[in-house]
Amino acid sequence: MMKPATLVFIDDIKPGNNSYKLKVQGTRIHASIDEDLIQIYEGKVSEGVAFLISNFILVNYATEYRTNPFPYKLTFYRTTNITICDDFPSYLPNKYLNEFSEIHSGIFKNDVLIDVGQIVHVGALTEIYAKGKQTNKLNVILRDETASNLTCTFAV
């Protein structure tokens, strides 16, 4: 007989136990839905809304670049349940956006992507000659929470 799901926070979950009922509060986790299951969950999940999720699998998240430092990612099954969480707090103390000064300090690991704020300008795609070959260049201006701007140039 399977024991009932226990309500837990992301920081407390471990792979191998499929009986969790997850309450995400102040911590992020990468979640993925296989392409053949997208139609099941399309329209059921949206940004800025709190959900209770059950019947999922937790797998190792060991890729070259991760969206957060948590070592596992949540994978949806065909039987994964999603319901709206009505008692989720409106204020979360964790800060998800990083200031440019923090990025320049080098305190972040290179294998975890970080959020900086918003894109405020995308320049025109221009052709340049670099390192002996023709390539395209794109300038993008980002803004952090302190209203500091950072110009990034991408070779594409």
Side-chain angles (χ1 to χ4, degrees), residues 28 47 67 92-103 107-108 113-119 142-147:
R28 297 186 302 177
E47 187 175 350
T67 57
L92 295 176
N94 288 35
K95 178 182 159 191
Y96 293 125
L97 299 178
N98 300 100
E99 296 174 8
F100 296 138
S101 61
E102 293 172 318
I103 296 166
I107 63 172
F108 298 105
L113 303 175
I114 56 173
D115 293 324
V116 295
Q118 67 184 131
I119 298 172
L142 306 174
R143 180 173 294 144
D144 68 8
E145 287 184 315
T146 67

Side-chain angles (χ1 to χ4, degrees), residues 61-73:
Y61 188 28
T63 60
E64 187 176 357
Y65 293 103
R66 299 191 321 244
T67 57
N68 64 68
F70 196 65
Y72 313 110
K73 72 176 182 177

Side-chain angles (χ1 to χ4, degrees), residues 5-108:
T6 304
L7 186 64
V8 296
F9 294 102
I10 285 179
D11 288 338
D12 299 326
I13 59 178
K14 303 283 183 263
N17 182 350
N18 294 336
S19 299
Y20 291 123
K21 185 183 255 187
L22 193 60
K23 185 173 186 179
V24 180
Q25 183 172 335
T27 305
R28 297 186 302 177
I29 188 169
H30 183 101
S32 64
I33 301 171
D34 286 339
E35 191 173 333
D36 61 328
L37 300 178
I38 289 176
Q39 71 278 0
I40 295 172
Y41 298 102
E42 193 169 21
K44 292 184 178 181
V45 179
S46 58
E47 187 175 350
V49 179
F51 298 97
L52 291 172
I53 303 172
S54 58
N55 298 338
F56 58 87
I57 186 169
L58 196 64
V59 298
N60 284 329
Y61 188 28
T63 60
E64 187 176 357
Y65 293 103
R66 299 191 321 244
T67 57
N68 64 68
F70 196 65
Y72 313 110
K73 72 176 182 177
L74 186 147
T75 302
F76 282 56
Y77 284 132
R78 190 169 298 284
T79 57
T80 299
N81 293 318
I82 302 171
T83 55
I84 291 180
C85 179
D86 294 324
D87 65 345
F88 198 78
S90 60
Y91 170 75
L92 295 176
N94 288 35
K95 178 182 159 191
Y96 293 125
L97 299 178
N98 300 100
E99 296 174 8
F100 296 138
S101 61
E102 293 172 318
I103 296 166
H104 290 301
S105 73
I107 63 172
F108 298 105

